[in-house]
Amino acid sequence: DARALEEVPALSALLAARHGYLVFERYYGGQDPEIPINVRSVTKSVTGTLAGAALRAGLLSGLGQAVGETIPERIPDEADPRVADITLWQWLTMTSGLQWDAHGDWQRLLAAPDWVEMTLGLPVVGIPGETYVYNTGGSHVLGVTVAKAAGKPLEDYAADTLFRPLGITPGDWMRSPQGEVSAGSGLELTARDMLKLGHLYLRSGEWDGEQIIDAEYAAAATTWQSPGDSTGAWAGYGYQWWITATGAGYSAYFALGYGGQHIFV
């Protein structure tokens, strides 16, 4: 805490939990603990969690399910034929192989009249399942896929399956031109909400006696699945979580949102 403001002058909140207890909580710059803020790409870790919940519930049959099976009606007519073969695992691990500029395509996505059509309309230029490219459009497609499988809007599925059990009341959620919530960025959460999400994974997907995601899924989501890139300071990537080894002698994983929104576990 003594170093926090000197090293991170824009810091708004800093929380720490250990052994299930909140051991440190401080807010800076007049931040209201009860007011959710835009946590940017931490949203991806929420979406990955919802995919795990849908798998546990049998709404999705497995991570090998492909776009051509889950949302074939959203594939543009002129799409690369290989787009239909992109799997849930590849969306989760950012290895779809789609051509994507991690530093410029966020603005292209926001400007597109249909985010799913724009993403699925890109050519496959990498090796599916191997080539990592940070792709917010892919996370949005993942969320759209989960929503269709659940038979309800993603925000309603999130409320029923994740937020209510964890005692989270989210703020606003960015929406696409189609009115679908953005599954890759733009969810508003409080710092305590973010801590709860990290703690869910620390507890192997269980919360207050209820298994939200399978323990096996929680473990896979937070272990190395693909190489990652400079977006996460060259950390590896799991299922919408970043994976890193630390000099302290133990591994860690983290959610990362633009501007310094972090959940470290």
Side-chain angles (χ1 to χ4, degrees), residues 152-178:
K152 60 180 70 173
L154 190 67
E155 67 271 30
D156 293 347
Y157 185 63
D160 296 340
T161 307
L162 180 62
F163 293 153
R164 286 197 188 108
L166 270 61
I168 292 173
T169 303
D172 291 334
W173 200 323
M174 182 192 295
R175 290 182 182 269
S176 74
Q178 284 61 51

Side-chain angles (χ1 to χ4, degrees), residues 28-239:
Y28 307 86
Q31 175 67 35
D32 187 327
E34 304 300 323
I35 295 180
I37 64 170
N38 183 347
V39 297
R40 306 296 183 98
S41 286
V42 171
T43 307
K44 293 179 173 69
S45 301
V46 172
T47 299
T49 305
L50 297 175
L55 283 165
R56 175 173 170 77
L59 301 173
L60 295 167
S61 63
L63 295 184
Q65 276 192 287
V67 174
E69 178 185 355
T70 55
I71 52 168
E73 73 283 356
R74 302 296 292 267
I75 302 175
D77 292 339
E78 303 302 318
D80 186 319
R82 292 170 292 179
V83 164
D85 298 326
I86 298 172
T87 66
L88 290 169
W89 188 88
Q90 290 166 7
W91 291 131
L92 285 165
T93 60
M94 302 273 191
T95 60
S96 66
L98 290 175
Q99 183 181 65
W100 191 271
D101 175 4
H103 302 289
D105 281 351
W106 169 238
Q107 295 302 324
R108 283 185 58 210
L109 185 73
L110 290 182
D114 185 321
W115 297 356
V116 175
E117 182 179 295
M118 178 240 169
T119 302
L120 297 183
L122 296 168
V124 175
V125 296
I127 303 171
E130 293 185 28
T131 305
Y132 179 95
V133 178
Y134 188 78
N135 183 337
T136 297
S139 298
H140 182 64
V141 172
L142 175 66
V144 168
T145 303
V146 171
K148 184 186 175 186
K152 60 180 70 173
L154 190 67
E155 67 271 30
D156 293 347
Y157 185 63
D160 296 340
T161 307
L162 180 62
F163 293 153
R164 286 197 188 108
L166 270 61
I168 292 173
T169 303
D172 291 334
W173 200 323
M174 182 192 295
R175 290 182 182 269
S176 74
Q178 284 61 51
E180 296 164 323
V181 291
S182 168
S185 183
L187 174 62
E188 293 182 348
L189 298 172
T190 67
R192 284 189 173 188
D193 295 338
M194 292 169 67
L195 188 146
K196 288 177 179 180
L197 183 64
H199 212 256
L200 175 68
Y201 280 82
L202 194 61
R203 296 172 60 93
S204 299
E206 179 270 331
W207 191 273
D208 199 20
E210 180 179 354
Q211 199 72 34
I212 309 294
I213 55 176
D214 286 336
E216 294 80 7
Y217 184 89
T222 55
T223 52
W224 195 100
Q225 301 289 342
S226 56
D229 65 8
S230 60
T231 310
W234 298 104
Y237 208 69
Y239 297 164

